Amino acid sequence: NPVMRFFLILISFFIGFNTMGQNLEAFFNLTRFTVPDEKPYIDVFISFNARTVSYTEGKANIESTILIKNGEHIIDFRKTKIESPEFNEDSIPIDFIDVQRFSLKNGKYSIDILLRDLNVEDADTIKISYPFDLFFSGHQVEISDIELVDRLEKSDVENLYSKAGYQVIPFVSDYYNTTRNEIVFYAEVY
């Protein structure tokens, strides 16, 4: 049932996770897309609550390790150091996002995400594991996942936010405050 699939995808791929005994708070979202005649891909978004990270010399530094697995086999991985925007005592910390894109074949996978605040000595590592399927047949009308959007801007710039001539800045949270009077989303039909 396509409607049920839509709601399951929307609910199951919008996961927030919060640490126990540590301040670091981050939200995770995974969306699936494809490019005709090429391999499908996933975009992985991790949004960090800037008020819950530690700052050294005006920057937060988070170590992120992302593993994509098929069963027990690691198919792809990324280990990155994520830096926050500059912060000083006179400003308000700004939430920040990390984006990673993985090209994958159709199949069943799981994603493991490990996060650690590098500015906290002996910081605990946060871990989340999440199973997902990736399947685009290429032989019928299909729709990508729905990506919730913070900002959408027409642009010729090519980067991880680029989709169909737009910069699609994701909304990676489980909270819509009262200043937001609309829900913006992005999806593709193939």
PDB file of all heavy atoms in Angstrom, residues 11 28-29 61 112 131 137 155 167 169 172:
ATOM      1  N   ILE A  11       7.694   8.165   9.313  1.00  0.00           N
ATOM      2  CA  ILE A  11       7.844   7.939  10.746  1.00  0.00           C
ATOM      3  C   ILE A  11       9.175   7.262  11.057  1.00  0.00           C
ATOM      4  O   ILE A  11       9.914   7.685  11.935  1.00  0.00           O
ATOM      5  CB  ILE A  11       6.664   7.094  11.285  1.00  0.00           C
ATOM      6  CG1 ILE A  11       5.377   7.915  11.244  1.00  0.00           C
ATOM      7  CG2 ILE A  11       6.942   6.597  12.695  1.00  0.00           C
ATOM      8  CD1 ILE A  11       4.127   7.094  11.462  1.00  0.00           C
ATOM      9  N   PHE A  28      18.940  12.599  13.535  1.00  0.00           N
ATOM     10  CA  PHE A  28      19.379  11.864  12.351  1.00  0.00           C
ATOM     11  C   PHE A  28      18.214  11.706  11.382  1.00  0.00           C
ATOM     12  O   PHE A  28      17.081  11.494  11.797  1.00  0.00           O
ATOM     13  CB  PHE A  28      19.898  10.502  12.826  1.00  0.00           C
ATOM     14  CG  PHE A  28      19.845   9.407  11.801  1.00  0.00           C
ATOM     15  CD1 PHE A  28      20.756   9.348  10.772  1.00  0.00           C
ATOM     16  CD2 PHE A  28      18.878   8.428  11.883  1.00  0.00           C
ATOM     17  CE1 PHE A  28      20.717   8.323   9.853  1.00  0.00           C
ATOM     18  CE2 PHE A  28      18.831   7.400  10.968  1.00  0.00           C
ATOM     19  CZ  PHE A  28      19.756   7.349   9.946  1.00  0.00           C
ATOM     20  N   ASN A  29      18.519  11.828  10.092  1.00  0.00           N
ATOM     21  CA  ASN A  29      17.527  11.561   9.063  1.00  0.00           C
ATOM     22  C   ASN A  29      18.231  10.912   7.887  1.00  0.00           C
ATOM     23  O   ASN A  29      19.352  11.294   7.537  1.00  0.00           O
ATOM     24  CB  ASN A  29      16.842  12.857   8.638  1.00  0.00           C
ATOM     25  CG  ASN A  29      15.588  12.600   7.827  1.00  0.00           C
ATOM     26  OD1 ASN A  29      15.121  11.483   7.716  1.00  0.00           O
ATOM     27  ND2 ASN A  29      15.050  13.649   7.249  1.00  0.00           N
ATOM     28  N   ASN A  61      33.716  20.464  18.161  1.00  0.00           N
ATOM     29  CA  ASN A  61      34.340  19.459  17.302  1.00  0.00           C
ATOM     30  C   ASN A  61      33.746  18.101  17.628  1.00  0.00           C
ATOM     31  O   ASN A  61      33.902  17.600  18.745  1.00  0.00           O
ATOM     32  CB  ASN A  61      35.856  19.425  17.524  1.00  0.00           C
ATOM     33  CG  ASN A  61      36.507  20.711  17.111  1.00  0.00           C
ATOM     34  OD1 ASN A  61      36.595  21.019  15.939  1.00  0.00           O
ATOM     35  ND2 ASN A  61      36.950  21.501  18.089  1.00  0.00           N
ATOM     36  N   ASP A 112      25.137   2.327  10.957  1.00  0.00           N
ATOM     37  CA  ASP A 112      25.592   2.570  12.326  1.00  0.00           C
ATOM     38  C   ASP A 112      26.211   3.956  12.346  1.00  0.00           C
ATOM     39  O   ASP A 112      27.064   4.267  11.508  1.00  0.00           O
ATOM     40  CB  ASP A 112      26.648   1.557  12.768  1.00  0.00           C
ATOM     41  CG  ASP A 112      26.101   0.151  12.943  1.00  0.00           C
ATOM     42  OD1 ASP A 112      24.868  -0.009  13.012  1.00  0.00           O
ATOM     43  OD2 ASP A 112      26.916  -0.780  13.022  1.00  0.00           O
ATOM     44  N   PRO A 131      18.156  -0.246  10.488  1.00  0.00           N
ATOM     45  CA  PRO A 131      18.058  -1.009   9.240  1.00  0.00           C
ATOM     46  C   PRO A 131      17.264  -0.231   8.187  1.00  0.00           C
ATOM     47  O   PRO A 131      16.351   0.532   8.523  1.00  0.00           O
ATOM     48  CB  PRO A 131      17.308  -2.271   9.660  1.00  0.00           C
ATOM     49  CG  PRO A 131      16.445  -1.812  10.803  1.00  0.00           C
ATOM     50  CD  PRO A 131      17.230  -0.721  11.507  1.00  0.00           C
ATOM     51  N   SER A 137      13.335   0.163  -8.958  1.00  0.00           N
ATOM     52  CA  SER A 137      13.338  -0.792 -10.066  1.00  0.00           C
ATOM     53  C   SER A 137      13.792  -0.158 -11.378  1.00  0.00           C
ATOM     54  O   SER A 137      14.392  -0.820 -12.210  1.00  0.00           O
ATOM     55  CB  SER A 137      11.950  -1.399 -10.247  1.00  0.00           C
ATOM     56  OG  SER A 137      11.057  -0.435 -10.794  1.00  0.00           O
ATOM     57  N   SER A 155      19.810  27.377  -7.376  1.00  0.00           N
ATOM     58  CA  SER A 155      21.260  27.526  -7.401  1.00  0.00           C
ATOM     59  C   SER A 155      21.886  26.636  -8.468  1.00  0.00           C
ATOM     60  O   SER A 155      21.371  25.555  -8.766  1.00  0.00           O
ATOM     61  CB  SER A 155      21.831  27.156  -6.030  1.00  0.00           C
ATOM     62  OG  SER A 155      23.224  27.179  -6.048  1.00  0.00           O
ATOM     63  N   GLN A 167      19.380  24.272  -3.983  1.00  0.00           N
ATOM     64  CA  GLN A 167      20.045  23.931  -2.725  1.00  0.00           C
ATOM     65  C   GLN A 167      18.919  23.583  -1.749  1.00  0.00           C
ATOM     66  O   GLN A 167      18.102  24.445  -1.413  1.00  0.00           O
ATOM     67  CB  GLN A 167      20.862  25.118  -2.194  1.00  0.00           C
ATOM     68  CG  GLN A 167      22.051  25.470  -3.061  1.00  0.00           C
ATOM     69  CD  GLN A 167      23.127  24.394  -2.999  1.00  0.00           C
ATOM     70  OE1 GLN A 167      23.633  24.074  -1.939  1.00  0.00           O
ATOM     71  NE2 GLN A 167      23.470  23.833  -4.144  1.00  0.00           N
ATOM     72  N   ILE A 169      18.216  22.622   1.796  1.00  0.00           N
ATOM     73  CA  ILE A 169      18.775  22.577   3.145  1.00  0.00           C
ATOM     74  C   ILE A 169      17.767  21.836   4.023  1.00  0.00           C
ATOM     75  O   ILE A 169      16.642  22.293   4.211  1.00  0.00           O
ATOM     76  CB  ILE A 169      19.047  23.996   3.702  1.00  0.00           C
ATOM     77  CG1 ILE A 169      19.834  24.850   2.687  1.00  0.00           C
ATOM     78  CG2 ILE A 169      19.740  23.913   5.061  1.00  0.00           C
ATOM     79  CD1 ILE A 169      21.159  24.282   2.256  1.00  0.00           C
ATOM     80  N   VAL A 172      16.129  18.912  10.028  1.00  0.00           N
ATOM     81  CA  VAL A 172      16.412  17.662  10.726  1.00  0.00           C
ATOM     82  C   VAL A 172      16.109  17.867  12.203  1.00  0.00           C
ATOM     83  O   VAL A 172      16.982  18.172  13.000  1.00  0.00           O
ATOM     84  CB  VAL A 172      17.889  17.247  10.532  1.00  0.00           C
ATOM     85  CG1 VAL A 172      18.125  15.856  11.106  1.00  0.00           C
ATOM     86  CG2 VAL A 172      18.282  17.290   9.072  1.00  0.00           C
TER      87      VAL A 172
END
